[in-house]
Each structure stands twice: as C-alpha cells, then as structure tokens.
DNA sequence: GAAAGTAGTTTCCTGTTGGAAACTATCAAA
DNA sequence: TTTGATAGTTTCCAACAGGAAACTACTTTC
C-alpha cells in the first residue's frame, strides 16, 4: 500500500502553506525588509536618501527592489515637480500592515542571536 | 556637505536590522517553512514521511534543508535502531518558538491574498 | 532472486540573485 | 564650464539555489 501525505493534505494546511509562499515571494531577497523598515521609520525618503540609509545596497538593486515593492502596493512612488526632479518613496497603508511581522522577525532573530551568544558559539 | 545615513545609523536600528538578517539567513530558501510547519503539526516524522508531506520537494533538497535546520538547532534527528534503520525528525523546543512568526507570516500572506482577490487582480 | 522500503549522496545542469562599474539625463551652483 | 546633486538604466559577470536522475547500501517481503 502506497502511503500518501496526511498532515499537509488537509485544506487548512494547503491554504496556510500557500499564504506563507505568497508572503515569502513578496518579501524575499536581501534588501526588502531593510527598505521597508527604513521607510516605516523615515516616512518619506528620496532615492538617494534610501541609498545612504540602506547600508551596502547599490543603485541597481535599490531601483529593482523599489519597483517590486511598488508593484505589490507596499511602497508608493511620487515624482515631485521640483528642479532637479526629486522622487518621494513612502510606505503605503498596506506596507504598514507588515509591522507586526517585521517586529516578530526582529524579536525572534534577536532572541536567537542571544541564545547562540550564551552557548558560546559566537 | 556630504549627507550620511540618519535613521539607520542609530544603534537600535543596527541591532534590529542585524536580528532580521540573522532570522532571514536561517529561514531562507524555498522549503524551510514547509518543513518546519509540517514537523510542528506532525511531531515526529521519518525522511520518507517528510518527502511525502512536503509537496514537490526532492531528496536532495530535503536532506540539505534538514541538515541546515539541525545545525541551527531547530530540528532534531534521531537514528532508531530498527531494521531497516529509520530516522526520526522532530521539531526542537527552539524550533517551536518560531510558531508566532510562522503564524504572523501565514496571517499576513492570507490577508494579502484576499486583498488582491478583492481587487480582481487574481 | 527480484522488488520494494528504509535514508540518503552525487553529479550534472539551469535559472536566479546580486554586485561593480559605466552610462544617461537634467538642473543648479560656483 | 566644471563640479556635484538629482534618479535611475544597462552591461557584464560570479555565485548560489534548486531540480532530475542515477547511484549507494542495507533489509524485508514475495
């Protein structure tokens, strides 16, 4: 008798797994959380501001990640009619809804780091 | 006058960003949350059980991801003295501490999916 | 003796991620 | 007119992630 999946075959689990995959695909990559976190703190920032704030990022990645985030409605981009033109990036209401998740991630990561430190592994 | 980072230069932000990076590096990849979620639900499972439960994963990735998770103390591996030998994988206490984070991720992902559905994008 | 179940490892290949550097284009100030 | 600030894009390249298939190795069942 061939065995089949039991746990993850339930509809509840399927939906949950799908939700996690969705979230992961929107938030994957090296820089998304850094950018989102910075915009949550800073409210409104220009491209060069972000380039300075997000430590280590380059123009290509910043540009690409901002496009991704804008496409998913987590960040808004507004071109100001100034000279020279400036662009304002800010977090959307929807983006703000990520705060609890970011907090949880920071909390867990911090606790993990402290536990490893205690054990003398680092 | 050359501008410098303001927001993310504060020690609080530095620590927070580091915590997020730590968590991300432990939990990155296509399969970690699926495996962890399955083990949280299923308590104790063998290699072949996991292969059946985690939809789409292959032996190579399962083996590699389990090694990663074991190394980071999120999953424990026990070889049983049976014939043929069986191996029991289970979630550690430390791994269980990820539950709130996984819940938050599933919650946000689910809400996102519903919001996109409402707007008719999908 | 062959098939099937246990638990993986190894090899080969492809697609994606991300970085460095150069480049475009506009405008203001010195 | 040269410098520097704005906001990016493009190209080229190296490294990593992940999948398919074959293989190892042991044991039990048919």
């Amino acid at each position: 008798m061939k065995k089949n999946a039991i746990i993850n075959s339930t509809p509840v689990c399927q939906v949950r797994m799908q939700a996690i995959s969705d979230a992961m695909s929107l938030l994957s990559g090296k820089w998304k959380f850094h950018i989102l976190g910075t915009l949550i703190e800073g409210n409104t920032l220009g491209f060069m501001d972000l380039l300075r704030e997000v430590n280590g990022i380059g123009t290509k990645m910043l540009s690409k990640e901002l496009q991704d985030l804008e496409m998913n409605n987590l960040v808004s981009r507004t071109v100001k009619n100034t000279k020279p033109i400036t662009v304002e990036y800010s977090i959307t209401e929807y983006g703000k809804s990520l705060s609890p998740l970011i907090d949880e991630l920071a909390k867990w990561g911090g606790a993990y780091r402290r536990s490893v430190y205690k054990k003398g592994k680092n």
Side-chain angles (χ1 to χ4, degrees), chain A residues 27 33 36-37 39-40 69 72-76 90-102:
Chain A
L27 302 171
F33 281 113
L36 289 168
L39 285 172
I40 287 172
L69 293 170
N72 292 318
N73 200 33
L74 301 175
V75 159
S76 71
S90 49
I91 193 95
T92 61
E93 281 307 308
Y94 212 85
K96 282 182 195 166
S97 75
L98 277 168
S99 281
L101 177 55
I102 297 178

Side-chain angles (χ1 to χ4, degrees), chain A residues 16-116:
Chain A
R16 192 179 158 85
M17 293 292 187
Q18 185 59 249
I20 290 173
S21 292
D22 286 357
M24 293 279 284
S25 79
L26 294 183
L27 302 171
S28 67
K30 196 173 169 180
W31 301 109
K32 300 248 167 62
F33 281 113
H34 287 75
I35 296 171
L36 289 168
T38 304
L39 285 172
I40 287 172
E41 289 294 311
N43 264 335
T44 291
L45 295 166
F47 186 84
M48 295 307 286
D49 294 329
L50 281 166
L51 202 57
R52 277 182 291 264
E53 293 289 345
V54 181
N55 202 290
I57 201 171
T59 56
K60 195 192 79 170
M61 288 310 295
L62 181 55
S63 172
K64 196 213 121 208
E65 297 291 64
L66 283 169
Q67 279 171 26
D68 279 11
L69 293 170
E70 195 197 350
M71 219 188 318
N72 292 318
N73 200 33
L74 301 175
V75 159
S76 71
R77 178 180 181 274
T78 317
V79 180
K80 290 283 167 178
N81 195 15
T82 54
K83 288 174 183 182
I85 60 156
T86 48
V87 177
E88 281 184 0
Y89 289 98
S90 49
I91 193 95
T92 61
E93 281 307 308
Y94 212 85
K96 282 182 195 166
S97 75
L98 277 168
S99 281
L101 177 55
I102 297 178
D103 287 347
E104 199 61 53
L105 199 58
K107 198 173 121 191
W108 191 88
Y112 187 86
R113 179 164 264 258
R114 284 188 294 279
S115 86
V116 169

